Amino acid sequence: MLQSAYFEVKNLQNKHDLKQMKKGLDTLYGVLSVSINKNQSRVGIDYDATGVSDQQITDFLKDRGYKVTHVYDLGL
């Protein structure tokens, strides 16, 4: 089942850090696309919910030191 969500991430850093975040998220099974808006502190992710959940994505980000303050489930 296709899902789309924005993850509000408060401590987004420089371009290298953002590139590493995107690269890591792309390795998660089920993640289809990742877009990062540093100015709005949001990470937009389209994913297949049969492969990964929004909680697993949140945990992935938190495990890497990012502060996820809110998840906006956009559905599809």
Side-chain angles (χ1 to χ4, degrees):
M1 176 166 45
L2 295 178
Q3 294 290 320
S4 188
Y6 281 118
F7 296 78
E8 193 170 297
V9 181
K10 287 299 183 188
N11 57 335
L12 296 177
Q13 303 296 317
N14 58 40
K15 285 185 181 183
H16 175 73
D17 187 51
L18 300 179
K19 185 176 179 180
Q20 290 300 106
M21 175 197 284
K22 182 177 180 340
K23 190 175 182 179
L25 287 167
D26 283 336
T27 65
L28 289 177
Y29 181 77
V31 170
L32 305 173
S33 70
V34 177
S35 63
I36 301 171
N37 185 324
K38 183 180 176 192
N39 295 335
Q40 292 184 344
S41 300
R42 287 191 177 175
V43 179
I45 302 177
D46 295 323
Y47 60 97
D48 181 346
T50 62
V52 68
S53 69
D54 60 350
Q55 185 60 54
Q56 288 173 305
I57 294 169
T58 298
D59 292 344
F60 178 89
L61 291 169
K62 287 181 177 179
D63 287 347
R64 279 145 188 85
Y66 297 103
K67 184 177 180 183
V68 179
T69 57
H70 197 79
V71 177
Y72 302 92
D73 184 3
L74 304 176
L76 276 183

